[in-house]
Amino acid sequence: MPIEFAQRIRRIPSYPVASGYELGDDVAMLASNESCFAPLPEVVEAAQRVIAGSHRYPDPSYSRLRAALSDRYGWPAERIALGHGSCDILLAAGEALLEPGAEVVYAWPSFSVYPHLAAASGARPVMVPLDSEQRHDLGAMAREVTVATRLVLVCNPNNPTSTAVPLEQIAAFLDEVPAHACVIVDEAYCEFNLLNDPDDSLDLLQRHPNLVLLRTFSKVHGLCGLRVGFGLCGSEELPRALDQVRQPFFCNALAQAAAVEALAHQDAVIERVTRTVAERISVDERLRALGLTPAESQANFCWFALGEERDEEEVMRGLEQRGVLVRGGSALGGPGALRVTYGTSAENERFLQALAEVL
């Protein structure tokens, strides 16, 4: 007799991982929104210094990392949630807040992990379409919030469409959402958003105890292989609740040490953002020259429709044959489109030449 799994397993969608990694090193890896910049040497050294102590469990209080984040953002350490990447915090929030009869509101297409939360908990997903510019329709989202809403997710900049809404719109939206609903503003790509300074949203935490600003070391800091994310929370209750539903020691010692060191190098963040934005401008101009219309990106990746006459899978296959890996929109809720990370100048040139040949 086969193993019988819980009913909810059948509801949970699989995360759409990129394929083609078996092709080896001679590949432009533009599918997963990773940083093309390796961790700083000082960050690598910080991780290496603690690896000899790996026979001991990591600090379960994460005191050094919480203190470093508190100093960097001027926010109390006890109101900072940590996780094995920001996805870990999202999944824990779903477990802590959602249950059958509850609702979770989010835009679509948006981050592929969001549908997992409702499916795993039995809550009702309320998916609100993006507007005509591929941005969050915050007015429509606010109208969907009810007494049953426990969680609202706003991805800004949005993954996969790369777009962002200005902070004043986020602020107005938060004023409309009742206090019983937790709002997570997922800011994984906020450093690349030129509409506002990344630190400007911190003021919203003072006014909204139900708010979480979710961030990560995976993108601009280049630490996605170590998996460490954090949430700046409007109250102390949420970090405590998240810790209750997770295993202990969820953030490993190397990740903690690397993240602490990375926070000491804000000059590198500015340099990486500057270089990425320069590539963003260049790539998007070249895409328009090919007759494509990329969304207005405020992230480290672009999103563009291929047009009805082009087959998404066929274009991706052609790019892969030329050593370029990108992500197809069908796996991300937006069929007929591609999401492409901005890489190095050489990687971007390889992508653009390959795309021109395929088209």
Side-chain angles (χ1 to χ4, degrees), residues 263-319:
L263 286 170
H265 299 276
Q266 293 302 310
D267 53 338
V269 170
I270 295 171
E271 179 187 354
R272 291 177 174 196
V273 169
T274 301
R275 292 171 65 179
T276 300
V277 170
E279 291 298 324
R280 183 166 81 193
I281 293 170
S282 174
V283 169
D284 287 8
E285 286 179 351
R286 297 273 297 277
L287 288 172
R288 285 189 282 269
L290 290 173
L292 301 166
T293 307
E296 186 179 332
S297 178
Q298 293 295 337
N300 70 331
F301 59 91
C302 59
W303 171 264
F304 55 92
L306 290 168
E308 294 181 3
E309 71 279 8
R310 300 186 180 102
D311 180 79
E312 176 189 311
E313 290 296 325
E314 190 175 309
V315 172
M316 289 181 63
R317 247 189 330 269
L319 291 173

Side-chain angles (χ1 to χ4, degrees), residues 96-145:
L97 293 163
L98 299 177
E99 59 191 351
E103 295 174 350
V104 52
V105 177
Y106 54 91
W108 197 253
S110 195
F111 186 33
S112 300
V113 167
Y114 298 163
H116 182 114
L117 306 187
S121 63
R124 186 173 83 89
V126 181
M127 303 164 70
V128 181
L130 300 175
D131 66 16
S132 61
E133 300 297 321
Q134 303 292 305
R135 296 181 176 90
H136 277 57
D137 187 340
L138 294 177
M141 291 181 68
R143 289 190 291 273
E144 293 291 346
V145 175

